[in-house]
């Protein structure tokens, strides 16, 4: 009972090379300076995954169809494997047929944006051969234009033009992420899924906390990193059950379970790019480097960020047309106060740089778009519906519904 007994100095220290949990088997894994044998490591990892589901308010999974986002990278590969075990144990322990009614695995083939070779078949083979109980859903990134009467080639070309005009690497990476979220949400809703399960690890979340703050996404940060997000999209809850697992832990899990030879190779804008090429790349380099020497870096950032609460001013009504996150009002005034927008010699040569349509875009998306060609066409004095049309004509996808739209233009409508 005494504090002294439970203190770390008095606990019997395992011999070097022995697992800290079972204290019998030789250790094969070192994580945060602690040694585990393979069995105890897998037991701890699986337990952490299940408790993430247990902690979420969605303890009742029956009656729900879930979509798992599967890029084929180390995190989502582990996620798929953990979901399989979770479904199985759930059915064994509770006597139910299965945990979720159905699991749809969604892979988005992003290669049209990079001229790479398709990843769709590789992802399909992994799911069909190893997880035949799951339903595979493949989606091409150019399908973001599926509502438009365009040929497959034209859709690809339109997508490439959109990325070509997007300006910096940071803006391109943000745009790619928004398009992928659009496609996942649209596919989940179309297929009747009420849960969308993402493979964000603790390391990924720590990187997001820092990079999103740097990009001016602090207002909606709790929605971007939370383990259990309701209300962001109609009838769809976002879950992040890997949020307590380090990228290293996930890599060891993949290795221990023999999953490394069935990863789908990733291509993205920053492959081969130097660490300073974008905010995401610079942050990743910083966090991963720091965590190597100070193993509590990631968990400290994640724990601290998880205490963030949504602003009381957030009403959920006004959403960004690009990222679908809530728009913080007054960002335009704030930006004008802190920004040097013109000098005597550039004032006449740079018309349009003051134009910030905060009616339809959040602060961070305004910043991304301010580097893109065509930006000055989005006139601030136009009505939100006109701005939205302009925005779409630039090739940007939006997830706005009729209700969202009505909310934007209600000040321009006469009462019945
Ligand atoms: Zn052990
Ligand atoms: Zn936005």
């Amino acid at each position: 009972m005494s504090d002294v007994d439970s203190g770390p100095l008095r606990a019997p220290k395992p011999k070097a090379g022995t697992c800290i949990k079972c204290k019998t088997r030789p250790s094969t894994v070192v994580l945060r300076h602690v040694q585990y044998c393979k069995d105890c490591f897998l037991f701890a990892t699986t337990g952490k995954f299940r408790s993430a589901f247990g902690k979420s308010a969605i303890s009742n999974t029956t009656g729900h169809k879930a979509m798992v986002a599967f890029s084929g990278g180390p995190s989502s590969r582990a996620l798929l494997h953990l979901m399989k075990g979770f479904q199985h144990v759930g059915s064994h322990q509770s006597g139910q047929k299965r945990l979720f009614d159905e699991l749809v695995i969604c892979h988005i083939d992003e290669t049209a944006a990079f001229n790479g070779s398709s990843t769709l078949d590789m992802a399909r083979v992994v799911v069909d051969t190893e997880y035949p109980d799951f339903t595979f859903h493949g989606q091409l990134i150019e399908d973001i234009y599926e509502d438009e009467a365009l040929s497959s080639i034209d859709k690809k070309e339109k997508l490439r033009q959109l990325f070509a005009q997007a300006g910096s690497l940071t803006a391109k990476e943000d745009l790619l992420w928004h398009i992928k979220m659009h496609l996942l949400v649209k596919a989940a809703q179309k297929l009747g899924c009420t849960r969308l399960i993402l493979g964000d690890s603790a390391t990924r979340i720590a990187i997001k906390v820092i990079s999103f703050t740097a990009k001016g996404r602090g207002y909606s940060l709790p929605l971007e990193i939370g383990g259990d997000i309701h209300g962001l999209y109609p009838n769809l809850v976002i879950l992040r059950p890997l949020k307590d697992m380090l990228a290293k832990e996930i890599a060891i899990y993949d290795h221990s379970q023999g999953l490394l030879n069935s990863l789908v190779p990733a291509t993205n804008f920053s492959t081969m790019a130097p660490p300073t090429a974008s905010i995401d790349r610079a942050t990743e380099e910083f966090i991963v480097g720091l965590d190597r020497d100070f193993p509590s870096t990631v968990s400290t950032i994640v724990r601290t960020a998880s205490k963030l609460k949504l602003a009381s001013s957030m009403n959920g009504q006004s959403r960004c047309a690009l990222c679908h996150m809530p728009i913080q009002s007054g960002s335009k005034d704030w930006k004008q106060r802190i920004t040097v927008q013109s000098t005597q010699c550039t004032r006449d040569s740079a018309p349009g740089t003051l134009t910030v349509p905060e009616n339809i875009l959040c602060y961070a998306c305004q910043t991304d778009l301010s580097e893109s060609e065509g930006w000055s066409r989005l006139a601030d004095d136009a009505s939100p519906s006109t701005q939205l049309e302009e925005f779409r004509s630039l090739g940007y996808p939006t997830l706005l519904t009729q209700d969202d739209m009505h909310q934007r233009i209600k000040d321009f409508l006469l009462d019945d």
Side-chain angles (χ1 to χ4, degrees):
M1 285 296 284
S2 78
D3 288 337
V4 178
D5 286 345
S6 58
L9 291 175
R10 296 296 174 96
K13 208 176 167 189
K15 279 184 293 180
T18 306
C19 171
I20 195 167
K21 286 277 176 199
C22 62
K23 298 180 177 62
T24 52
R25 285 184 291 262
S27 61
T28 54
V29 175
V30 183
L31 206 65
R32 296 188 181 104
H33 301 317
V34 178
Q35 303 181 17
Y36 300 92
C37 69
K38 184 183 164 185
D39 287 351
C40 289
F41 167 78
L42 288 176
F43 185 79
T45 307
T46 314
K48 212 183 269 188
F49 178 74
R50 287 188 187 141
S51 92
F53 266 104
K55 267 188 250 166
S56 91
I58 326 293
S59 48
N60 182 14
T61 53
T62 45
H64 289 287
K65 190 171 165 180
M67 175 173 280
V68 178
F70 176 58
S71 70
S75 289
S76 65
R77 186 68 191 84
L79 176 62
L80 213 57
H81 200 76
L82 285 159
M83 284 308 300
K84 183 190 175 185
F86 192 42
Q87 280 276 78
H88 175 73
V89 169
S91 62
H92 176 70
Q93 285 181 341
S94 59
Q96 292 157 356
K97 204 172 162 211
R98 50 176 91 86
L99 201 69
F100 285 105
D101 281 12
E102 189 181 342
L103 276 179
V104 180
I105 313 301
C106 182
H107 174 79
I108 298 174
D109 183 341
E110 308 167 32
T111 43
F114 311 104
N115 287 322
S117 44
S118 172
T119 54
L120 211 56
D121 287 342
M122 291 178 77
R124 189 193 305 276
V125 166
V126 172
V127 176
D128 287 354
T129 53
E130 296 189 41
Y131 310 97
D133 292 345
F134 300 167
T135 308
F136 180 80
H137 178 77
Q139 187 89 53
L140 300 169
I141 192 153
E142 59 269 33
D143 285 343
I144 197 75
Y145 300 121
E146 70 181 351
D147 297 338
E148 301 177 29
L150 295 172
S151 70
S152 160
I153 302 287
D154 287 347
K155 280 192 273 185
K156 283 184 186 173
E157 189 48 38
K158 188 168 180 180
L159 189 78
R160 281 193 200 116
Q161 278 175 13
L162 178 65
F163 280 111
Q165 68 161 11
S168 69
L169 184 60
T170 296
K172 284 185 172 64
E173 286 175 345
D174 288 352
L175 182 57
L176 180 64
W177 170 245
H178 301 322
I179 291 179
K180 283 196 281 185
M181 270 311 280
H182 278 278
L183 286 170
L184 285 170
V185 169
K186 271 175 97 171
Q189 289 173 334
K190 200 168 156 185
L191 297 172
C193 298
T194 49
R195 306 283 181 262
L196 176 59
I197 305 173
L198 303 178
D200 288 328
S201 66
T203 311
R204 180 54 48 201
I205 288 174
I207 293 167
K208 270 175 138 183
V209 169
I210 304 297
S211 69
F212 279 32
T213 306
K215 290 188 245 187
R217 282 195 184 276
Y219 187 63
S220 55
L221 192 59
L223 296 170
E224 306 262 19
I225 60 169
D228 180 5
I229 300 297
H230 302 245
L232 192 55
Y233 303 103
N235 305 320
L236 190 66
V237 177
I238 310 282
L239 301 173
R240 294 184 173 89
L242 303 187
K243 69 181 180 60
D244 296 325
M245 281 183 225
L246 298 172
K248 185 182 173 188
E249 224 168 330
I250 290 168
I252 298 171
Y253 181 86
D254 285 340
H255 173 74
S256 309
Q257 299 284 22
L259 307 176
L260 289 178
N261 54 4
S262 54
L263 297 180
V264 178
T267 326
N268 54 53
F269 291 113
S270 47
T271 311
M272 309 295 283
T276 51
S278 72
I279 294 177
D280 285 354
R281 284 283 292 123
T283 314
E284 184 169 352
E285 190 80 6
F286 173 65
I287 300 288
V288 172
L290 203 58
D291 200 65
R292 215 172 285 137
D293 296 326
F294 303 97
S296 54
T297 300
V298 165
S299 53
T300 306
I301 296 173
V302 172
R303 220 178 314 118
T304 308
S306 69
K307 291 176 185 156
L308 289 170
K309 297 263 186 299
L310 290 172
S312 55
S313 61
M314 197 180 278
N315 58 20
Q317 298 288 9
S318 192
R319 294 290 183 81
C320 174
L322 183 54
C323 71
H324 206 67
M325 288 294 160
I327 296 177
Q328 183 174 22
S329 62
S331 64
K332 181 183 170 184
D333 293 342
W334 175 79
K335 195 172 183 176
Q336 279 183 339
R337 276 204 308 278
I338 61 143
T339 311
V340 177
Q341 281 145 344
S342 65
T343 62
Q344 203 62 37
C345 52
T346 59
R347 187 180 293 159
D348 295 336
S349 60
T353 51
L354 294 177
T355 302
V356 183
E358 69 168 10
N359 284 321
I360 65 160
L361 294 173
C362 73
Y363 171 77
C365 288
Q366 288 172 36
T367 308
D368 273 348
L369 254 83
S370 64
E371 296 170 353
S372 85
E373 295 161 30
W375 164 253
S376 56
R377 281 168 53 188
L378 294 166
D380 193 37
D381 53 4
S383 75
S385 54
T386 313
Q387 285 180 350
L388 201 58
E389 265 166 42
E390 278 287 326
F391 181 74
R392 285 186 177 135
S393 75
L394 292 172
Y396 286 94
T398 93
L399 252 186
L400 290 176
T401 62
Q402 282 303 108
D403 281 353
D404 296 327
M405 208 42 236
H406 184 263
Q407 203 61 34
R408 303 290 170 87
I409 60 172
K410 70 178 195 305
D411 294 343
F412 300 87
L413 301 175
L414 297 171
D415 288 335
D416 289 339

